[in-house]
Amino acid sequence: MLEGIQELYQYNRWANRRLTAVTATLTPEQLGRDLGSSFPSVHDTLVHMLFAEWIWLSRWRGTSPTGIPEEWDLSTHQALVGAWGVVEAEQDAFLGGLTEDRLQAPVRYANTKGTPYSLPLVSLMRHVANHATYHRGQLVTMLRLLGVEPVATDMVLFHMERTGQV
């Protein structure tokens, strides 16, 4: 199971980076345009995705933040990608210290409203990767609405690239 989770996070990182490379080509106006999605703009959706990865990592480590760190400057795409790089490095360190037993252990946390929950770490880790996939799909639609060709982030492509088939 541990190997599968580590691979899932390699895929998640690969897919996020492919998409942020495309969104880096957008103008500030395009990044901020309200496109009527769950989160209004491409930028807002990316901020939400980053926040979700950070808050879940925080919960796995034993804290339950209630909002985005005040010191984060996410006003530009470049700043957002920079903050994401820090979160990815912290995720890598966390993943490197995982064991099979730890994956099965319950994580007790509170949501941003303070409601307590407890689920096995592996379930929460799968949730985070799935959550990112959901929002990457939204971003693909948003890019198309902006007239920008999206990039494929299918897991099969990830595997094909890793095995030299593409």
Side-chain angles (χ1 to χ4, degrees):
M1 185 171 314
L2 177 58
E3 187 176 307
I5 287 294
Q6 290 170 332
E7 181 180 66
L8 183 61
Y9 274 78
Q10 290 168 3
Y11 160 72
N12 190 58
R13 183 154 301 117
W14 170 88
N16 285 345
R17 287 179 181 169
R18 284 178 64 88
L19 209 46
T20 56
V22 173
T23 58
T25 68
L26 300 177
T27 66
E29 187 278 325
Q30 289 172 311
L31 282 165
R33 188 182 305 167
D34 187 336
L35 297 168
S37 193
S38 298
F39 296 90
S41 68
V42 168
H43 183 79
D44 292 340
T45 303
L46 291 169
V47 168
H48 171 74
M49 291 171 67
L50 167 61
F51 174 64
E53 292 202 11
W54 172 81
I55 200 166
W56 281 108
L57 178 62
S58 299
R59 290 168 178 166
W60 304 338
R61 292 170 157 172
T63 63
S64 293
T66 58
I68 291 177
E70 289 182 21
E71 67 273 10
W72 279 9
D73 171 16
L74 305 177
S75 59
T76 67
H77 189 275
Q78 184 177 1
L80 186 147
V81 170
W84 215 323
V86 172
V87 171
E88 286 178 350
E90 292 175 5
Q91 275 181 342
D92 281 344
F94 183 83
L95 285 162
L98 282 180
T99 64
E100 294 288 346
D101 288 343
R102 176 70 176 100
L103 280 173
Q104 298 306 320
V107 173
R108 289 167 183 73
Y109 67 95
N111 67 11
T112 56
K113 295 176 184 170
T115 307
Y117 295 95
S118 178
L119 285 169
L121 176 61
V122 68
S123 298
L124 298 175
M125 293 188 81
R126 286 178 179 144
H127 162 71
V128 172
N130 186 61
H131 175 266
T133 297
Y134 173 77
H135 287 299
R136 283 192 299 267
Q138 288 181 320
L139 286 168
V140 164
T141 298
M142 295 168 94
L143 288 168
R144 287 187 175 127
L145 289 170
L146 291 169
V148 176
E149 184 67 32
V151 64
T153 59
D154 295 323
M155 188 178 269
V156 71
L157 181 58
F158 166 74
H159 289 295
M160 291 168 65
E161 280 189 9
R162 289 178 66 185
T163 58
Q165 295 181 55
V166 216

